[in-house]
């Protein structure tokens, strides 16, 4: 009959339905945040990896690390892997970047471990006070080698590519700090572990973001800041402080460069090997990045803003370190509650600090 002449057999209809459903599922998969290495084989199309970080596009992290590192990886993989940078929190907020990598919002992320304090309990050892780092090159090497040795469970959910640090910080104050009594009761901007450290020294830490420090210093809300020397120029804090007290045992901040684990596992073995080789080369550049910034900022602060550098006496240094040592003990006890040998972890880091301080004066 005419009404049945255009009808499809049931088997044909079922086949078309399966094809349509498969297409929908494939489209849904393509919309996920995690990239797929399959793209590498599609008509020579490169695998584009999204990289998130929080620094401005003109910051050395972007111009001297991310961009040349990305170009070198593209070259080393014969164009199969291309990294696209999203600076200044355009892809993820600084404190959400690690989770963003885990969840596939971004493929690669660079940020501070301390922005999600408590999530990386073992790695807090690299930011403990009382450990002296000559510079960021030393601190970065201690952290990278220490992480390889300790292999903490807390970072197994991503592929850690490298770590870098600010290296030692300093106190920037309106009035001179040459001894502990000068610091007593002084309002100092600090965050996280730094606040606990300053409290142990008798100061009055005031929690606030680095972006708020300039105004607070200019208005006298706080009388000083604890941080890397580069903030004197980068954040213009040399304009609102007068003295720099060198304290290489109070401060160090650890940054990660890490990749989504599924993305890493999906890469061809030869591309993984190529990326690892590029990482070794760029770790040498990255590990000294803050040293360059700190050196330039110190020169600017002293020569252009007239700041005075104060070096503590050996006796003062011993007293300060003695007072912050309980913060180390608290770390050890916290590790023991997690079933880890905190003393062994801390001793490992101290030994590595001695090793690299002797190597990089």
């Amino acid at each position: 009959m005419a009404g049945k002449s255009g009808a499809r057999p049931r088997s044909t209809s079922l086949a078309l339905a399966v094809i349509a459903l498969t297409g929908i599922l494939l489209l849904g998969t393509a919309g996920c945040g995690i990239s797929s290495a399959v793209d590498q084989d599609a008509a020579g199309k490169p695998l584009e990896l999204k990289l998130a970080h929080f620094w401005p596009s003109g910051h050395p992290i972007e111009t001297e690390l991310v961009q040349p590192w990305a170009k070198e990886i593209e070259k080393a993989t014969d164009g199969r892997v291309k990294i696209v940078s999203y600076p200044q929190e355009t892809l993820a907020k600084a404190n959400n970047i690690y989770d963003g990598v885990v969840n596939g919002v971004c493929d690669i992320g660079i940020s501070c471990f301390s922005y999600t304090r408590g999530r990386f309990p073992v790695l807090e050892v690299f930011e403990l006070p009382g450990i002296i780092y000559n510079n960021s090159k030393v601190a970065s090497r201690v952290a990278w080698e220490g992480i390889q040795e300790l292999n903490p469970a807390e970072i197994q959910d991503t592929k850690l590519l490298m770590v870098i640090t600010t290296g030692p910080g300093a106190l920037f104050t309106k009035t001179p700090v040459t001894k502990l009594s000068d610091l007593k009761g002084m309002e100092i901007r600090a965050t996280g572990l730094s606040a606990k450290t300053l409290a142990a020294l008798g100061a009055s830490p005031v929690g606030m973001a680095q972006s708020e420090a300039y105004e607070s210093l200019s208005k006298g809300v706080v009388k000083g800041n604890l941080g890397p020397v580069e903030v004197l120029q980068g954040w213009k804090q040399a304009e609102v402080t007068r003295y720099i007290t060198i304290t290489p045992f109070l401060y160090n901040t650890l940054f990660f460069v890490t990749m989504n684990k599924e993305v890493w596992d999906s890469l061809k073995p030869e591309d993984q090997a190529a990326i690892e080789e590029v990482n070794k080369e760029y770790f040498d550049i990255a590990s000294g990045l803050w040293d360059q910034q700190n050196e330039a900022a110190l020169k600017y602060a002293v020569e252009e803003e007239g700041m005075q550098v104060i070096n503590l006496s050996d006796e003062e240094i011993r007293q300060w370190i003695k007072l912050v040592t309980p913060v180390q003990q608290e770390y050890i006890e916290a590790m023991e509650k997690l079933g880890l040998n905190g003393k062994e972890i801390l001793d490992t880091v101290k030994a590595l600090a001695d090793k690299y301080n002797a190597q990089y004066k």
Side-chain angles (χ1 to χ4, degrees):
M1 292 187 296
K4 294 184 178 180
S5 62
R8 296 189 181 94
R10 180 177 298 177
S11 59
T12 302
S13 298
L14 180 60
L16 290 172
V18 170
I19 292 171
L21 179 60
T22 302
I24 291 171
L25 291 173
L26 287 173
L27 284 172
T29 303
C32 294
I34 300 175
S35 303
S36 171
V38 174
D39 292 343
Q40 289 178 285
D41 296 319
K45 180 183 177 182
L47 173 64
E48 288 197 358
L49 304 181
K50 297 178 180 179
L51 183 152
H53 69 78
F54 63 88
W55 289 276
S57 57
H59 193 279
I61 280 286
E62 173 71 11
T63 60
E64 297 178 31
L65 176 61
V66 171
Q67 287 302 325
W69 174 68
K71 289 178 182 176
E72 195 62 31
I73 284 177
E74 186 172 4
K75 178 182 176 182
T77 59
D78 294 325
R80 289 186 297 273
V81 178
K82 181 178 181 179
I83 296 173
V84 180
S85 179
Y86 292 80
Q88 207 163 346
E89 299 185 317
T90 51
L91 190 58
K93 294 294 184 183
N95 61 336
N96 293 329
I97 288 176
Y98 192 90
D99 277 342
V101 173
V102 172
N103 299 327
V105 172
C106 46
D107 302 302
I108 304 172
I110 308 176
S111 191
C112 306
F113 284 110
S114 60
Y115 280 177
T116 47
R117 187 164 295 284
R119 175 165 181 172
F120 306 99
V122 174
L123 298 188
E124 288 186 10
V125 69
F126 300 106
E127 299 187 359
L128 286 174
I131 302 175
I132 295 177
Y133 300 110
N134 288 344
N135 46 52
S136 69
K137 190 178 288 289
V138 168
S140 296
R141 278 165 169 70
V142 169
W144 187 235
E145 187 170 329
I147 288 171
Q148 308 309 305
E149 186 171 335
L150 299 171
N151 196 31
E154 61 211 47
I155 55 168
Q156 301 305 317
D157 50 0
T158 66
K159 167 61 180 177
L160 194 61
L161 302 177
M162 70 176 85
V163 294
I164 52 180
T165 71
T166 60
L171 279 168
F172 319 119
T173 56
K174 290 177 169 294
T175 58
V177 175
T178 62
K179 53 188 182 300
L180 272 171
S181 57
D182 296 331
L183 193 62
K184 189 173 180 60
M186 184 181 287
E187 295 89 354
I188 306 288
R189 185 221 75 98
T191 56
L193 200 56
S194 294
K196 183 183 290 189
T197 299
L198 287 169
L201 294 171
S204 297
V206 180
M208 68 177 66
Q210 198 68 262
S211 57
E212 302 173 59
Y214 182 96
E215 184 177 0
S216 295
L217 285 163
S218 65
K219 292 182 177 179
V221 175
V222 294
K223 306 300 190 299
N225 186 15
L226 175 63
V229 177
E230 61 99 359
V231 303
L232 293 174
Q233 185 173 29
W235 296 91
K236 300 182 178 181
Q237 291 178 26
E239 296 177 358
V240 288
T241 53
R242 298 266 46 90
Y243 301 91
I244 306 167
T245 302
I246 305 301
T247 55
F249 47 84
L250 290 186
Y251 181 92
N252 182 47
T253 293
L254 182 63
F255 304 102
F256 58 78
V257 182
T258 202
M259 182 184 287
N260 177 276
K261 196 169 182 62
E262 291 179 36
V263 171
W264 174 261
D265 290 342
S266 74
L267 294 176
K268 296 178 178 180
E270 59 266 36
D271 289 338
Q272 291 180 341
I275 291 171
E276 296 276 25
E277 285 303 309
V278 173
N279 289 347
K280 290 177 185 177
E281 175 188 348
Y282 274 83
F283 176 69
D284 286 336
I285 296 170
S287 64
L289 202 55
W290 256 264
D291 289 334
Q292 297 171 26
Q293 295 181 78
N294 290 337
E295 184 178 348
L298 183 61
K299 180 180 175 67
Y300 160 80
V302 172
E303 295 183 3
E304 297 189 33
E305 294 293 340
M307 293 192 73
Q308 180 180 331
V309 176
I310 298 171
N311 290 291
L312 297 172
S313 68
D314 291 343
E315 177 59 28
E316 280 293 320
I317 291 174
R318 282 192 290 270
Q319 289 185 47
W320 289 44
I321 291 178
K322 182 179 180 180
L323 286 174
V324 299
T325 297
V327 179
Q328 296 184 6
Q329 185 58 40
E330 288 177 18
Y331 172 83
I332 291 173
E333 292 170 0
M335 290 301 99
E336 289 174 350
K337 290 179 180 178
L338 296 175
L340 301 171
N341 190 328
K343 185 178 185 305
E344 186 175 302
I345 294 171
L346 182 57
D347 287 345
T348 296
V349 174
K350 287 180 175 179
L352 288 171
D354 289 342
K355 170 186 171 181
Y356 285 110
N357 277 331
Q359 190 171 339
Y360 300 101
K361 301 288 187 180

